[in-house]
């Protein structure tokens, strides 16, 4: 019962102690499996702490997650550093959620803020995607500003129509307002052109 309980709880020290005083035959299937578990656990307890430490020093959350998965699959409850590693991954998940919200909203301000708070490796796919998205947003903002400055209604209309980012973006909302004024002026001019009296009014 002690052997079974120690295996169930992933307690390496308790399992070693239970096997030491166990009087069940060594060829008993449960005892054989328990000794195999203990042997694997000893290997993991010697290698995983170093690998976890190295991955955390590199700020590599995905590697830490993989190593914790190996630990969980082994049945061993913990090794040195595994609790710190779990907290490390939990903080990563919290920051990743901020990234996901910022990128889903397409908000350059929120993405920039998330990048400034990012504590993990720069080549993490979330960070890479966020930087790429931020670059795309900033490029689109530059094009909108240029179209407004050039008073290019056709280009402005196309850029506004193709905008897929934060609808509250200040450059985008300003461009929309400019486009509305442009279209109103265009409609008024078109109406005047269609009206003979309007043309006379323009001539005078």
């Amino acid at each position: 019962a002690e052997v079974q309980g120690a295996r169930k709880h992933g307690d390496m020290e308790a399992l070693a102690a239970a096997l030491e005083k166990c009087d069940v035959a060594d060829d008993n299937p449960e005892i054989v499996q328990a000794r195999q578990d203990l042997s694997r656990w000893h290997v993991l307890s010697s290698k995983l702490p170093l690998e976890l430490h190295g991955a955390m020093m590199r700020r590599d959350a995905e590697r830490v997650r993989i190593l914790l998965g190996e630990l969980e699959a082994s049945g061993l409850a913990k090794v040195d550093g595994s609790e710190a590693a779990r907290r490390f991954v939990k903080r990563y998940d919290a920051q990743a959620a901020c990234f996901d919200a910022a990128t889903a909203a397409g908000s350059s301000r929120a993405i920039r803020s998330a990048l400034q708070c990012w504590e993990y490796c720069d080549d993490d796919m979330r960070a890479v995607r966020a930087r790429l998205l931020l670059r795309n947003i900033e490029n689109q903002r530059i094009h909108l500003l240029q179209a407004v400055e050039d008073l290019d209604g056709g280009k402005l209309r196309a850029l506004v129509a193709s905008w897929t980012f934060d609808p509250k973006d200040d450059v985008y909302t300003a461009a929309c307002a400019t486009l509305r004024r442009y279209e109103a002026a265009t409609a008024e001019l078109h109406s005047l052109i269609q009206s003979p009296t309007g043309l006379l009014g323009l001539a005078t």
Side-chain angles (χ1 to χ4, degrees):
E2 288 185 29
V3 169
Q4 186 179 23
R7 287 181 65 202
K8 180 180 179 180
H9 292 99
D11 189 329
M12 185 171 68
E13 293 182 1
L15 181 57
L19 287 170
E20 184 69 27
K21 62 183 181 181
C22 180
D23 56 5
V24 179
D26 286 346
D27 61 354
N28 178 284
E30 183 180 344
I31 299 302
V32 171
Q33 185 62 57
R35 291 193 184 283
Q36 290 176 350
D37 286 346
L38 184 60
S39 177
R40 288 188 298 105
W41 291 356
H42 274 301
V43 172
L44 282 173
S45 67
S46 64
K47 78 162 192 172
L48 269 187
L50 290 174
E51 293 188 16
L52 284 169
H53 177 73
M56 286 192 289
M57 289 297 291
R58 296 190 303 273
R59 314 305 294 171
D60 188 346
E62 290 309 309
R63 179 59 182 163
V64 173
R65 198 188 303 277
I66 289 170
L67 293 170
L68 288 175
E70 290 180 17
L71 176 63
E72 184 176 348
S74 75
L76 181 60
K78 62 181 180 179
V79 296
D80 288 344
S82 60
E83 292 306 311
R86 289 188 177 99
R87 291 193 296 271
F88 177 91
V89 170
K90 187 175 181 179
R91 289 196 304 274
Y92 170 88
D93 288 340
Q95 289 196 20
C98 290
F99 256 126
D100 291 344
T103 54
S107 168
S108 60
R109 183 178 300 175
I111 294 170
R112 195 175 291 107
S113 176
L115 284 168
Q116 288 173 349
C117 296
W118 188 245
E119 300 175 17
Y120 301 91
C121 59
D122 289 339
D123 59 356
D124 181 278
M125 285 308 300
R126 272 192 172 87
V128 171
R129 285 195 299 268
R131 286 194 295 271
L132 178 60
L133 179 59
L134 181 61
R135 188 158 54 246
N136 289 340
I137 294 171
E138 292 303 326
N139 285 339
Q140 191 85 332
R141 283 162 56 93
I142 289 170
H143 291 318
L144 282 170
L145 288 169
Q146 190 62 55
V148 169
E149 183 178 340
D150 293 344
L151 297 177
D152 187 336
K155 185 177 180 181
L156 185 58
R157 186 183 296 110
L159 288 168
V160 166
S162 65
W163 181 267
T164 58
F165 310 116
D166 181 8
K168 296 180 180 178
D169 182 276
D170 56 345
V171 171
Y172 171 72
T173 54
C176 287
T178 300
L179 179 60
R180 285 192 296 271
R181 290 194 297 272
Y182 167 82
E183 289 182 334
T186 301
E188 183 178 359
L189 179 58
H190 181 75
S191 176
L192 288 171
I193 291 173
Q194 295 299 315
S195 167
T197 57
L199 285 175
L200 289 173
L202 285 176
T204 59

